Amino acid sequence: MSEIVDSGMVPRITVRDVEKVDVPVLTAIKGVGTETLHRDRLRDAQSTGFRYLVLLADKEIVGFACLVIRRPQYWSDADDTQHLPQIVDLQIKESHRGRGYGSDFLRAIERIASEAGYAHLYLSVAPLNNPRAYALYQRLGYEKIQSEPYRKIWEFHDSDGKKHHGEDWVVDMVKQLNREVI
């Protein structure tokens, strides 16, 4: 468990691993039809190489993210060992966006990765579809690896056999970590 205490404006936040009882709240944040996805991620987090994390403000879950050290075998890019560890699917509850939670959550994940001995942390973002996240990552010191977005096609089947797939125009970003991540 990792904690950050902020002064005044943002309630005390805590970052911890997802628990089974969190799945309904995570489903409400991500949307209808995502319950199996959360259960699969919880299963993936039982092995080394994958952390499924929640962000709590006081005791309320306000966000979640995956810290991927090794991609699960059922992911279409499972054999790709580049750009790891990587933050995947960082989401903050819509009603809590713009209040510093994303920044605090990223810093906590950076600390977790740094304490585990990693020198870099990666993420991908769709700068045209998600300019707010792109600006946040830049503000926090993440640097583009590619000069222009590239087309990323992804797919996987969840444990119910449902196929999830998509296409995004993304840039990969990296941040050099140090042992003194705040």
Side-chain angles (χ1 to χ4, degrees):
M1 183 186 293
S2 178
E3 287 190 22
I4 298 174
V5 178
D6 206 355
S7 59
M9 304 253 323
V10 176
R12 175 185 156 135
I13 68 163
T14 306
V15 173
R16 66 163 170 78
D17 292 288
V18 171
E19 299 171 358
K20 188 176 181 179
V21 296
D22 301 330
V23 170
V25 176
L26 302 179
T27 301
I29 293 171
K30 188 155 178 81
V32 175
T34 62
E35 182 177 341
T36 300
L37 172 73
H38 298 297
R39 290 189 189 287
D40 288 352
R41 288 178 176 174
L42 190 57
R43 177 203 62 218
D44 294 338
Q46 301 305 309
S47 65
T48 58
F50 194 97
R51 299 272 311 264
Y52 200 20
L53 303 167
V54 289
L55 173 71
L56 295 97
D58 291 325
K59 295 184 190 261
E60 177 189 3
I61 294 175
V62 297
F64 64 86
C66 302
L67 175 58
V68 180
I69 310 300
R70 188 173 43 254
R71 293 176 179 92
Q73 283 302 306
Y74 62 94
W75 287 14
S76 56
D77 60 353
D79 294 330
D80 182 0
T81 59
Q82 291 186 327
H83 304 153
L84 293 173
Q86 178 183 33
I87 298 171
V88 173
D89 201 18
L90 186 147
Q91 294 202 16
I92 301 296
K93 197 181 220 182
E94 195 167 331
S95 61
H96 287 68
R97 293 179 187 160
R99 295 167 42 186
Y101 293 110
S103 297
D104 288 342
F105 200 11
L106 279 164
R107 287 186 191 107
I109 295 169
E110 290 166 5
R111 181 177 18 243
I112 291 167
S114 180
E115 288 173 355
Y118 294 99
H120 297 88
L121 187 57
Y122 298 87
L123 52 82
S124 293
V125 63
L128 299 175
N129 292 339
N130 199 350
R132 190 173 179 175
Y134 183 55
L136 170 67
Y137 300 146
Q138 287 181 309
R139 195 168 50 253
L140 293 178
Y142 287 83
E143 297 177 3
K144 293 189 307 184
I145 296 173
Q146 302 85 18
S147 59
E148 296 294 325
Y150 67 94
R151 182 177 174 217
K152 180 169 183 144
I153 299 171
W154 56 270
E155 76 174 43
F156 66 91
H157 288 82
D158 66 26
S159 60
D160 286 343
K162 180 180 177 188
K163 181 178 179 179
H164 299 261
H165 58 94
E167 174 182 319
D168 298 304
W169 286 88
V170 301
V171 292
D172 298 318
M173 301 183 82
V174 62
K175 182 173 182 178
Q176 185 165 345
L177 304 176
N178 58 41
R179 298 285 185 196
E180 310 278 329
V181 175
I182 296 174

